[in-house]
Amino acid sequence: MRRLPAVWRVLGALLLGLVALRAIVELTPAERPPGGPRSSTFATGPDGLAAYADLLVRSGREVRRERSRLSDATLDPTAVLFVVDPLAVRTDDADALARFVDAGGTLVASGQTADRWLRALLPAPQRARPGDGPGGLVVPLAPVPEVAGVARVAASGAALDVGDGTTLLPVLGDGSRVAAGVATAGAGRVLVLADGSPLWNGLLAHEDNAAFGLALVPAGRRAVFAEEPHGYGRATGLGAVPRSFLVALAGVALAVLLLYAG
């Protein structure tokens, strides 16, 4: 077999070098701007929950990020499960949440569509109205464990429409709105937030927001954050392999062919 011209071998060597350089860049940690999906523990922007997850860990709580679909996950009823401002919750995932709470689990939920996927848990789930800017302060409205040690909480201004027929007890609010409510369901408990703002990175250090966040996860209990509804689903098969790695592998194969074909 006739060897390739020298120019092709030189090009192969250059390609191999470029692939190696790209791999070094990919593996080198880089400064990333704050961002990520709203109310995700992977999000470091003002409306993320990364700081809250860190606070729980520093306070001795175990934190786990659940990246499987809720209907496929093993949900421990001794845990506190957070489904906060999800992009979407499927019907089978909502059924899994209902089973989790019915078995004794504690669910912390929020989102403008939460009234739909909480129907299996609450007789009259309440729709959330978004805030139109900083909403000032809300205060405890009932002496429940979720607001123990809390005097004031900074929030976004979002509110729950709490009406007749609901089992939701308002627990945070002001004279004109309800920011959070709690209800028992089966053997478990559901805390509904108008949105995740009391736990956001940008508000966690304000007022008693950190104390409120700690009260939601009693000492000795694990906090589980559902991240699949934020777009962080667990990939399988080739989907679990980074695309940059596959591209680099193809580049290496081509470079080797150019270098050694003969």
Side-chain angles (χ1 to χ4, degrees):
M1 183 181 296
R2 190 161 59 92
R3 293 184 62 82
L4 290 174
V7 64
W8 290 108
R9 294 199 297 273
V10 171
L11 287 175
L14 287 174
L15 178 58
L16 189 60
L18 288 173
V19 170
L21 180 61
R22 175 62 183 272
I24 292 172
V25 171
E26 289 286 339
L27 294 173
T28 301
E31 290 290 331
R32 295 182 181 271
R38 181 185 188 188
S39 298
S40 165
T41 59
F42 289 117
T44 54
D47 59 357
L49 297 188
Y52 178 46
D54 288 343
L55 172 68
L56 291 174
V57 171
R58 292 198 307 270
S59 301
R61 277 75 162 175
E62 181 184 350
V63 169
R64 183 165 69 85
R65 294 170 171 86
E66 181 55 69
R67 296 180 59 186
S68 299
R69 285 190 53 176
L70 294 168
S71 57
D72 296 331
T74 301
L75 301 177
D76 178 4
T78 65
V80 179
L81 176 62
F82 290 79
V83 185
V84 184
D85 300 335
L87 298 176
V89 175
R90 305 171 187 87
T91 300
D92 54 350
D93 294 332
D95 292 340
L97 292 176
R99 292 192 296 271
F100 164 77
V101 174
D102 189 59
T106 297
L107 173 64
V108 178
S110 72
Q112 291 185 46
T113 62
D115 61 309
R116 302 175 192 170
W117 46 270
L118 289 176
R119 290 187 187 280
L121 287 168
L122 304 178
Q126 303 306 306
R127 183 180 297 274
R129 292 182 282 107
D132 55 3
L137 304 177
V138 291
V139 298
L141 302 175
V144 296
E146 288 83 359
V147 292
V150 174
R152 297 187 302 182
V153 172
S156 71
L160 295 172
D161 287 327
V162 180
D164 296 336
T166 183
T167 58
L168 205 63
L169 172 69
V171 295
L172 271 181
D174 58 20
S176 61
R177 65 190 170 106
V178 173
V182 69
T184 56
R189 198 165 176 87
V190 183
L191 177 83
V192 182
L193 297 167
D195 65 15
S197 60
L199 307 175
W200 285 350
N201 300 327
L203 291 177
L204 191 63
H206 292 238
E207 302 299 332
D208 295 325
N209 289 41
F212 174 61
L214 291 176
L216 297 183
V217 185
R221 297 191 69 179
R222 175 193 301 164
V224 178
F225 293 88
E227 290 294 348
E228 191 274 341
H230 291 297
Y232 289 107
R234 193 181 303 281
T236 58
L238 285 178
V241 181
R243 182 176 299 179
S244 59
F245 177 82
L246 295 176
V247 172
L249 188 62
V252 169
L254 179 58
V256 170
L257 284 174
L258 291 174
L259 283 170
Y260 296 105

